Amino acid sequence: MENKIVAAVILDNTTRSYDKVYNYLVPESMACYLETGMRVMVPFGSGDTAKVAYFLDFIAYDKKFDKIKMKYISELLDDEALVSKSMFRLARDIRDEYFCTYGQALNAMVPLGLRISVEKLVLLEDGKLIPFQAYLQSAPGGIKQINEEIKENRIKIVEQGIRNMKNKFEKAVRLLILPSEINELIFKDRIKNEKHIRVLELLAEYEDITINDFASYENISRNVLSTLEKKGYIESFLKPRKQDEQNVPDIAPTSTEKHFTDDQKYVIDRISMPIQEGKYDKFLIHGITGSGKTEVYMKLVSEVLAKGKSSIVLVPEIGLTPLMVNRFTQRFGNNLVVMHSRLSMKERYSAWMRIKRGEVAIALGTRSCIFAPFSNLGLIVIDEEHDGSYISECTPKYHTNFVADRRAKEDGAILVLGSATPKVTTYDAMDKQGRVLTMSNRALGKLPDVSLVDMRDDTINGHMSVFSNTLIKEIEKNIANGEQTVLFLNRRGYSSMQLCTKCRTVVKCEHCDVPMTYHKGKDFLVCHYCGHIQRKSGICPVCKEETMMECGAGTEKVEAELHELFPEASVLRMDLDTTGMKNSHRDLLEKFENEKVDILIGTQMIAKGHDYPLVTLVGILNADALGSGLFYESSENAYQLITQASGRAGRSDLKGRAIIQAYNVDSPLIENAIKQDYQSFYSTEMRIRKILDFPPYTSMAIIMFTSMQQHLADENAAVCYNILHNTGMTVFAPSRPQISKLNDKFRTRIIVKCKDPKEMKDDLTKAYLYMAKKLPKTVTMGIDVYCNEF
Ligand code: ADP
Ligand code: ZN
């Protein structure tokens, strides 16, 4: 028998049908360099298409290989391993739990800058390589000529893996029109989308912006840019990538530990034990806002550090405030990297590499930082564990708590979750395992006095303002005392709905099944889901009469009312319309603090993580309208937001107060939020979940079919329903979600419930694999899973 070396690989980019282990021969010269987690190029399928694959392991040569014609790995693409064995196992867990491919799971772990694309090149007789597209364009005979040249052996087509980061150029866009023409385009209704306006305005300001920066800072996709390019408003070009290495500034730690409170001591002692032992364990710190959780996290991180291990500290998307970063930097200096979605591709890449090379021991960041490539992880902290940004909204739709728990188990690390308002599912799971640690006092200051204003009284008295009389008086008091006020309203724009007073028609987006919001500053109706804009009209689209009325207030309207009510006061507004690109977020908050602005009004962006000593009054303007998110979690979300927002008040010696305005004042939810009584909220909520059979009493999944054609979404949902419906799960017939159309795509969903999570996973996997083969290209199928995370 020949001495052949065989490799097991999985494909980087493939569909679920091909998502399995393949065997290839390893060229002898490559064998000594190859390590688990490196990427290679392999010829795949009958056409030998070049594909990028991950090398898993060597396997023993087996007789069965003699019978098949085995191919060789064609190229080694990495010079060091990208993912470790334990990260592979984590990828497998994610793949199995959230229905995706290995490649998708691995891509969620590895930064964009490290992905590899396959480039097609033409090899000339003299050895020169020319990009295929360029060669095609210069060949007068087109593809026919090329095929002939190949036949005559004059040229060869080769494929090469290109690592994005190594490309000397990156794609950027710039304006083709004059900045002064933008307004005219808007005025003449030539632009129909808020995002398009945003792109043009930013390009007018910055001259050119890379496609990656648009994606990471502004969440603007390639599609948006190519639409504008097709219209001739912008052009794309290749821009030389800046090659200068980022210099890491030398920061020495300046802050030291506080003298801990009794609550803090108790929690630290309890968690220190398993840290000293270096064994996997998990805890939930249930500590009210301002109880000193962050100080506890920092203490735990330094204990882990002393053991020679690393830590990952996760914070919600909007919780990663400059304040948070400063506190950690002051304590740990250079031993820390910050990772979040607003980093450019290059910044993210270099943060990732610093971790991988062992140059730092702490990573502070948002969701995807859970994949920080530490090899000696000792601690994972998830602050505000209930936050919605911990659930990934693109494939794989993983829940960070689940991934963190798996990773902690895999690496023998401690998982610490913290929240003033934990998810009831988390609380339930941790409580059952005796792992809840409670902190019920503030380290500094006191919890604010919370009071409720019944808005029905004010409305009945003919007071049509967004503000109740009570709140107006309190704001007046604060202005007079030189103290700051924060007002919270979960809706941007001016008015939230255009309603016909006669036929009750609501103006909806052409592309989505949602009402349009009026933005006064821009004088447009805007769809908050797809960005579509249109002119406001007083005429009802159905009655054709002048009967339209505006309802519901947004932050823009509140700001306008504030100026009328308190003309002397300084007011700052913070929402998606006033923030964007790198720093304006931070600039606004710095301005609020440094210039002692009287009133800050904002969306949930301001509800979390800020700590300003002079804020003594918090107003929550629309407590009834809170609670977005998944249907069964909406009261939980409302409770969380009210608690978080009111927790901004009274964080120093100055006593704080919070005023909640609501119409539905008798709901137990509002009652418990005012009493700030998590335990009663929790038991009420658990009772309701039990009656309605929702998690944690059952596992649940939502299977969503989307298509531009409604009948295709419906038909495929029906096929899937027929498969599922014969299983032991409870399966609800296909139905439309609350938003039945998004971005011109119709949505049909199937809800399943099952007491046994394993049974649910098996049944869903079967259906998923079956559908993956059947599904037409124009239909997508997505599965959201709500299982116990611990
Ligand atoms: P949480 O994360 O629970 O909201 P923080 O850790 O941010 O709480 O603490 C709230 C405030 O109390 C911060 O200003 C912090 O510096 C301060 N603080 C926390 N622990 C102590 C302590 N032991 N002694 C004095 N001040 C403390
Ligand atoms: Zn829309």
Side-chain angles (χ1 to χ4, degrees):
M1 198 174 79
E2 275 179 83
N3 200 10
K4 281 180 179 162
I5 315 163
V6 182
V9 307
I10 48 167
L11 299 175
D12 173 34
N13 181 5
T14 186
T15 56
R16 187 66 188 245
S17 325
Y18 295 104
D19 193 35
K20 52 187 172 216
V21 175
Y22 292 97
N23 294 314
Y24 280 87
L25 293 171
V26 184
E28 218 164 307
S29 59
M30 196 188 284
C32 59
Y33 298 105
L34 209 50
E35 275 176 47
T36 296
M38 285 182 174
R39 287 167 300 184
V40 294
M41 189 90 100
V42 295
F44 190 79
S46 53
D48 281 347
T49 322
K51 289 226 172 223
V52 177
Y54 282 86
F55 170 68
L56 288 177
D57 224 332
F58 293 106
I59 58 164
Y61 192 86
D62 192 289
K63 274 223 163 63
K64 72 175 183 207
F65 293 141
D66 285 339
K67 299 201 187 79
I68 38 179
K69 198 175 149 266
M70 289 196 49
K71 299 174 193 170
Y72 275 94
I73 292 177
S74 51
E75 202 183 332
L76 177 58
L77 296 168
D78 289 314
D79 37 26
E80 54 185 311
L82 208 61
V83 272
S84 63
K85 277 194 177 152
S86 80
M87 292 299 263
F88 262 122
R89 285 192 285 269
L90 193 62
R92 189 196 53 210
D93 287 346
I94 292 174
R95 168 186 185 261
D96 293 347
E97 185 76 14
Y98 299 110
F99 305 97
C100 65
T101 61
Y102 272 116
Q104 286 169 329
L106 288 165
N107 276 337
M109 299 177 160
V110 173
L112 207 59
L114 279 165
R115 289 199 199 144
I116 289 183
S117 40
V118 180
E119 197 179 51
K120 226 171 163 180
L121 300 164
V122 176
L123 177 66
L124 304 183
E125 270 170 314
D126 59 3
K128 250 195 222 144
L129 281 171
I130 297 174
F132 182 83
Q133 281 306 324
Y135 192 79
L136 179 63
Q137 269 164 29
S138 67
I143 195 80
K144 219 167 158 193
Q145 176 191 336
I146 292 181
N147 283 336
E148 234 144 70
E149 287 175 352
I150 296 173
K151 239 191 248 156
E152 292 163 12
N153 266 333
R154 301 221 312 269
I155 59 167
K156 246 175 105 177
I157 305 291
V158 290
E159 284 162 305
Q160 208 175 42
I162 302 284
R163 190 189 276 195
N164 289 343
M165 222 32 223
K166 283 196 176 156
N167 255 345
K168 288 211 169 60
F169 296 95
E170 64 182 323
K171 222 172 173 184
V173 290
R174 61 189 164 210
L175 281 183
L176 273 182
I177 51 174
L178 293 172
S180 55
E181 290 173 76
I182 298 174
N183 273 335
E184 198 178 303
L185 287 177
I186 299 172
F187 182 71
K188 289 192 176 149
D189 290 344
R190 301 274 285 279
I191 298 179
K192 296 227 159 41
N193 197 297
E194 195 187 17
K195 288 180 186 156
H196 294 180
I197 300 180
R198 183 93 183 146
V199 170
L200 298 181
E201 285 177 349
L202 284 169
L203 286 176
E205 193 180 333
Y206 289 82
E207 237 163 277
D208 61 61
I209 298 176
T210 66
I211 290 182
N212 285 310
D213 281 351
F214 263 125
S216 42
Y217 298 136
E218 287 283 322
N219 205 9
I220 284 174
S221 69
R222 266 158 213 266
N223 278 347
V224 171
L225 299 174
S226 62
T227 307
L228 287 168
E229 191 170 9
K230 270 186 218 131
K231 288 188 172 179
Y233 302 148
I234 63 172
E235 65 173 352
S236 59
F237 66 105
L238 287 175
K239 189 183 172 176
R241 193 189 288 282
K242 278 199 219 97
Q243 290 298 335
D244 54 328
E245 253 313 313
Q246 262 182 314
N247 280 327
V248 183
D250 217 2
I251 315 163
T254 50
S255 87
T256 48
E257 269 164 29
K258 303 230 175 332
H259 186 75
F260 291 117
T261 65
D262 289 348
D263 277 354
Q264 285 171 324
K265 272 191 217 137
Y266 157 75
V267 172
I268 292 166
D269 283 351
R270 180 67 187 90
I271 304 178
S272 290
M273 281 187 286
I275 288 181
Q276 294 311 320
E277 287 169 12
K279 276 208 304 250
Y280 161 76
D281 206 337
K282 56 176 178 270
F283 299 93
L284 167 66
I285 306 179
H286 176 217
I288 60 167
T289 55
S291 56
K293 295 186 291 298
T294 310
E295 291 295 324
V296 170
Y297 305 151
M298 291 196 286
K299 170 69 177 167
L300 297 174
V301 168
S302 41
E303 285 194 3
V304 167
L305 214 51
K307 289 242 128 200
K309 291 193 179 174
S310 320
S311 303
I312 294 175
V313 180
L314 300 183
V315 287
E317 202 74 51
I318 28 194
L320 192 64
T321 55
L323 181 80
M324 191 74 171
V325 175
N326 284 346
R327 280 173 81 178
F328 269 84
T329 315
Q330 280 163 8
R331 186 68 58 85
F332 299 107
N334 266 356
N335 209 355
L336 171 89
V337 286
V338 180
M339 292 177 97
H340 53 87
S341 59
R342 287 173 169 247
L343 292 183
S344 70
M345 184 162 91
K346 184 163 171 90
E347 289 166 326
R348 209 175 307 190
Y349 171 79
S350 77
W352 204 81
M353 289 313 282
R354 286 188 69 205
I355 297 170
K356 194 151 183 311
R357 298 197 173 118
E359 292 168 16
V360 290
I362 306 160
L364 170 66
T366 49
R367 185 178 66 224
S368 63
C369 185
I370 189 60
F371 300 117
F374 288 117
S375 56
N376 56 347
L377 192 64
L379 174 72
I380 301 173
V381 172
I382 305 186
D383 187 30
E384 315 275 14
E385 68 84 31
H386 61 274
D387 192 85
S389 69
Y390 287 127
I391 299 179
S392 163
E393 64 274 9
C394 46
T395 312
K397 295 178 164 183
Y398 64 89
H399 293 211
T400 307
N401 283 352
F402 170 86
V403 176
D405 192 47
R406 289 297 167 106
R407 183 151 189 207
K409 265 190 200 133
E410 183 71 52
D411 296 12
I414 315 291
L415 172 63
V416 173
L417 309 164
S419 175
T421 52
K423 286 196 280 200
V424 297
T425 48
T426 304
Y427 194 94
D428 173 64
M430 293 301 208
D431 194 32
K432 278 188 184 134
Q433 301 174 52
R435 289 291 187 279
V436 179
L437 308 173
T438 307
M439 293 167 72
S440 39
N441 299 296
R442 271 201 171 174
L444 291 176
K446 291 255 159 3
L447 272 185
D449 289 328
V450 183
S451 54
L452 177 70
V453 175
D454 187 342
M455 288 302 279
R456 288 173 307 189
D457 297 344
D458 275 66
T459 312
I460 291 162
N461 296 335
H463 185 88
M464 286 309 287
S465 162
V466 225
F467 300 101
S468 60
N469 286 324
T470 319
L471 187 54
I472 293 174
K473 279 198 202 103
E474 293 297 323
I475 298 176
E476 264 165 11
K477 234 189 266 172
N478 254 34
I479 295 174
N481 293 338
E483 292 172 14
Q484 290 178 295
T485 301
V486 169
L487 297 175
F488 174 75
L489 180 72
N490 208 10
R491 189 179 285 139
R492 69 187 171 104
Y494 191 80
S495 64
S496 55
M497 210 186 275
Q498 307 286 308
L499 176 80
C500 171
T501 46
K502 207 170 142 198
C503 73
R504 309 243 142 209
T505 296
V506 170
V507 179
K508 286 194 173 175
C509 172
E510 283 173 34
H511 309 283
C512 311
D513 181 27
V514 292
M516 301 284 282
T517 304
Y518 180 54
H519 286 242
K520 200 168 189 174
K522 301 188 183 116
D523 194 21
F524 274 128
L525 299 177
V526 179
C527 168
H528 283 179
Y529 287 80
C530 74
H532 173 70
I533 52 175
Q534 67 189 55
R535 300 259 166 219
K536 190 175 89 156
S537 152
I539 296 167
C540 171
V542 180
C543 315
K544 311 279 181 223
E545 282 177 52
E546 191 124 5
T547 45
M548 298 307 281
M549 171 183 112
E550 286 174 21
C551 326
T555 45
E556 227 184 336
K557 183 163 183 186
V558 173
E559 187 187 18
E561 268 205 37
L562 281 171
H563 284 304
E564 265 172 44
L565 284 165
F566 312 105
E568 311 283 287
S570 49
V571 176
L572 211 55
R573 171 161 64 95
M574 193 160 152
D575 54 28
L576 267 184
D577 296 319
T578 62
T579 56
M581 268 344 236
K582 272 181 154 170
N583 288 329
S584 51
H585 211 96
R586 184 198 317 175
D587 298 345
L588 277 175
L589 288 172
E590 271 174 10
K591 186 168 178 196
F592 178 63
E593 192 171 19
N594 298 340
E595 297 176 19
K596 298 212 171 59
V597 173
D598 293 313
I599 305 169
L600 174 67
I601 155 89
T603 51
Q604 68 229 59
M605 234 179 234
I606 62 168
K608 286 174 197 161
H610 309 300
D611 195 351
Y612 300 113
L614 281 182
V615 173
T616 52
L617 173 64
V618 166
I620 299 169
L621 300 180
N622 59 338
D624 311 275
L626 295 176
S628 48
L630 203 66
F631 49 101
Y632 76 90
E633 284 179 330
S634 68
S635 41
E636 171 167 293
N637 289 340
Y639 183 83
Q640 286 155 354
L641 265 175
I642 293 174
T643 312
Q644 295 296 338
S646 48
R648 295 311 109 211
R651 293 177 75 94
S652 62
D653 298 337
L654 299 167
K655 178 78 187 160
R657 51 213 199 284
I659 293 180
I660 301 177
Q661 298 188 162
Y663 286 92
N664 188 9
V665 291
D666 302 321
S667 83
L669 163 78
I670 301 237
E671 232 170 77
N672 289 323
I674 288 171
K675 283 192 288 183
Q676 306 183 66
D677 183 351
Y678 181 81
Q679 292 306 331
S680 334
F681 159 74
Y682 172 72
S683 41
T684 314
E685 185 62 23
M686 285 293 275
R687 223 170 23 243
I688 297 171
R689 300 261 180 115
K690 183 160 194 182
I691 295 167
L692 300 178
D693 197 29
F694 280 128
Y697 294 100
T698 187
S699 288
M700 193 173 98
I702 299 175
I703 310 161
M704 188 75 82
F705 293 85
T706 38
S707 173
M708 299 280 249
Q709 280 149 296
Q710 185 152 6
H711 72 97
L712 284 181
D714 289 347
E715 285 159 17
N716 284 283
V719 173
C720 187
Y721 175 72
N722 280 336
I723 303 171
L724 291 170
H725 145 104
N726 291 324
T727 62
M729 302 189 292
T730 309
V731 185
F732 296 85
S735 63
R736 302 218 186 291
Q738 198 182 4
I739 298 172
S740 63
K741 187 173 86 169
L742 257 188
N743 263 319
D744 290 319
K745 294 207 177 100
F746 293 91
R747 292 143 48 95
T748 310
R749 70 175 179 195
I750 300 171
I751 298 175
V752 301
K753 287 179 179 177
C754 188
K755 292 279 176 231
D756 178 0
K758 183 162 179 320
E759 188 186 336
M760 182 172 99
K761 202 196 280 180
D762 292 347
D763 289 344
L764 283 178
T765 305
K766 273 182 221 140
Y768 170 67
L769 291 176
Y770 179 83
M771 291 307 294
K773 288 201 195 103
K774 289 251 151 186
L775 219 56
K777 280 213 165 60
T778 49
V779 184
T780 49
M781 168 183 179
I783 305 181
D784 289 342
V785 181
Y786 304 90
C787 272
N788 200 337
E789 292 162 334
F790 306 102

